[in-house]
Amino acid sequence: MPGLRRAPLTVAASALLLALTACSSGTAGASGSTGTASGATSSPSATASGTASSGPSASSTTTAAADQTVEITIRGKQVTPAPHRVELTSGQTLRLVVTSDHNDELHAHGFDVERELVAGQPTTVDLTGAPPGLYEVETHEPELRLLQVVVRP
């Protein structure tokens, strides 16, 4: 009966994928953002933590070390570093530390994560990659692409 337990997860994942696709418009991140792409650091000795999952996940706690950390600053419509891709292997953790000059909402597609951004306060989110794919992290007010996460097997 293990197959029966997966059916609700498959339906939920499909519904989530449809909802997330609807959330993103083709113009997110299309602005002429400038900045450097040097926000990612890697820590090879760090290990990812968390529980087994059927999809990418986000941890609301940040006590474990992350495999990579990216610090992002938003000023108006400018994202620093400029939107870029970060690669993870399934099971690795990406820590995002996002500071915005205005209240907004952070949304990590495929990771089922939405967090409020409070002006001037860093918000930390851990994303753990599971199924291979390309996932976007964005804000909603205004729509800005912060980065893309490539999860490899």
Side-chain angles (χ1 to χ4, degrees):
M1 294 219 182
L4 292 177
R5 286 188 219 171
R6 290 189 189 135
L9 290 175
T10 303
V11 171
S14 297
L16 178 63
L17 181 59
L18 287 172
L20 294 176
T21 303
C23 179
S24 177
S25 70
T27 60
S31 65
S33 297
T34 60
T36 63
S38 64
T41 57
S42 180
S43 174
S45 62
T47 58
S49 67
T51 58
S53 169
S54 65
S57 64
S59 169
S60 61
T61 62
T62 57
T63 56
D67 294 294
Q68 295 184 58
T69 300
V70 177
E71 294 183 0
I72 299 172
T73 303
I74 303 167
R75 287 188 186 98
K77 292 185 178 184
Q78 183 172 349
V79 177
T80 304
H84 60 287
R85 286 188 178 175
V86 175
E87 291 196 19
L88 294 178
T89 302
S90 290
Q92 285 187 320
T93 298
L94 170 65
R95 176 166 293 157
L96 299 178
V97 181
V98 181
T99 306
S100 177
D101 67 350
H102 60 278
N103 293 341
D104 205 333
E105 184 177 40
L106 172 77
H107 187 186
H109 288 270
F111 294 90
D112 196 24
V113 172
E114 289 189 17
R115 295 282 195 281
E116 280 189 48
L117 297 176
V118 177
Q121 295 182 4
T123 299
T124 302
V125 177
D126 285 352
L127 306 174
T128 301
L134 176 64
Y135 306 98
E136 292 198 14
V137 179
E138 65 184 9
T139 62
H140 288 167
E141 299 295 329
E143 285 189 22
L144 298 172
R145 178 185 298 158
L146 304 184
L147 59 90
Q148 293 179 321
V149 180
V150 179
V151 179
R152 303 221 185 266

